[in-house]
């Protein structure tokens, strides 16, 4: 059974702490945790990220933007009130329902098949390396953590963006804007229940 926790506007640091607590609790079961937006723009880095290498650090300091290092791998993303966070947390028993092994690439490919029906209006939706794209335009970044028989696969979907929020050295990564918020929640409710 999949438990669902839907949050709205929770600060990203708090959201990541909730997500990590569920992930680290061995008997927590399987969860879908979502959060629509975070009150202020933040930069989220993977566990091995270095702020000076992944952001325009002077611009970040000038704007007072928080830089947060998360517990999982993956790249760097700028998040804001225009970001939809979706985290799938579980164990091998949960993945067995879909005949998926607990390996990063297999989980990544599985999530592509989970999200494909959500984006049926966008036939060019796919997984390109570690990101969700429409055509070649990225609109969803992913990170994973696997430990002690459990996994978390979290995604930051760009619902819209403000050019002032482009604080990373490679702004070409912030491209496609997709408004899918209501479709997501409708889809997940029926897919997992």
């Amino acid at each position: 059974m999949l438990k669902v926790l839907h949050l709205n506007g929770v600060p990203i640091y708090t959201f990541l702490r909730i997500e990590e607590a569920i992930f680290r609790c061995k008997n927590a079961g399987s969860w879908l945790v979502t959060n629509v937006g975070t009150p202020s723009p933040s930069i989220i880095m993977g566990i091995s990220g270095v702020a000076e290498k992944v952001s325009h650090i002077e611009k970040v300091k000038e704007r007072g933007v928080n830089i947060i290092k998360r517990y999982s791998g993956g790249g760097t993303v700028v998040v804001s009130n225009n970001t939809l966070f979706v985290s799938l947390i579980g164990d091998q028993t949960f993945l067995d329902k879909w005949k998926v092994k607990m390996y990063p690439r297999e989980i990544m490919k599985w999530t592509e098949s989970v999200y494909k029906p959500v984006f049926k209006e966008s036939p060019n939706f796919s997984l390109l390396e570690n990101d969700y794209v429409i055509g070649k335009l990225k609109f969803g970044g992913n990170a994973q953590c696997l430990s002690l028989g459990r996994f978390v696969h979290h995604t930051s979907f760009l619902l819209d963006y403000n050019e002032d929020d482009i604080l990373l050295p490679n702004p070409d990564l912030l491209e496609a804007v997709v408004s899918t918020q209501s479709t997501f929640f409708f889809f997940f409710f029926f897919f997992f229940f």
Side-chain angles (χ1 to χ4, degrees):
M1 177 175 172
L2 183 70
K3 299 171 185 104
V4 176
L5 175 60
H6 172 61
L7 305 167
N8 194 355
V10 170
I12 186 59
Y13 182 76
T14 303
F15 178 78
L16 288 169
R17 296 292 306 256
I18 292 167
E19 178 191 84
E20 184 178 6
I22 294 169
F23 166 66
R24 299 216 183 271
C25 183
K26 191 172 178 100
N27 299 319
S30 301
W31 287 77
L32 168 67
V33 185
T34 65
N35 186 31
V36 180
T38 187
S40 57
S42 297
I43 295 176
I44 311 302
M45 299 184 305
I47 197 162
S48 60
V50 177
E52 291 76 11
K53 291 183 180 179
V54 299
S55 67
H56 291 299
I57 197 71
E58 292 306 316
K59 200 172 174 183
V60 169
K61 285 179 183 176
E62 179 184 300
R63 295 218 14 233
V65 172
N66 290 323
I67 298 177
I68 300 168
K69 188 176 282 198
R70 67 176 174 267
Y71 64 97
S72 63
T76 302
V77 62
V78 176
V79 299
S80 69
N81 63 335
N82 293 313
T83 307
L84 172 64
F85 305 97
V86 180
S87 299
L88 290 163
I89 307 166
D91 56 22
Q92 185 60 57
T93 305
F94 176 73
L95 293 173
D96 284 344
K97 295 175 186 174
W98 291 277
K99 297 179 174 57
V100 176
K101 297 283 184 218
M102 197 180 309
Y103 297 114
R105 197 77 209 139
E106 284 199 36
I107 293 170
M108 193 73 75
K109 286 302 288 176
W110 169 69
T111 62
E112 178 185 29
S113 70
V114 168
Y115 290 131
K116 228 174 204 355
V118 174
F119 298 102
K120 64 182 177 226
E121 300 299 317
S122 300
N124 295 325
F125 168 82
S126 66
L127 179 68
L128 180 62
E129 296 179 25
N130 298 318
D131 300 310
Y132 299 119
V133 297
I134 293 180
K136 292 186 180 179
L137 303 177
K138 174 182 174 177
F139 73 100
N142 300 294
Q144 295 181 350
C145 188
L146 287 75
S147 178
L148 301 172
R150 291 185 57 75
F151 77 92
V152 63
H153 175 87
H154 42 204
T155 304
S156 299
F157 285 104
L158 181 65
L159 299 176
D160 199 353
Y161 82 99
N162 178 341
E163 290 198 27
D164 291 339
D165 291 342
I166 297 177
L167 300 167
L168 304 180
N170 189 354
D172 332 335
L173 297 178
L174 298 173
E175 301 273 353
V177 176
V178 181
S179 296
T180 58
Q181 183 178 356
S182 59
T183 309
F184 258 96
F185 301 120
F186 178 80
F187 170 74
F188 275 115
F189 182 78
F190 287 101
F191 183 81
F192 287 108
F193 297 104

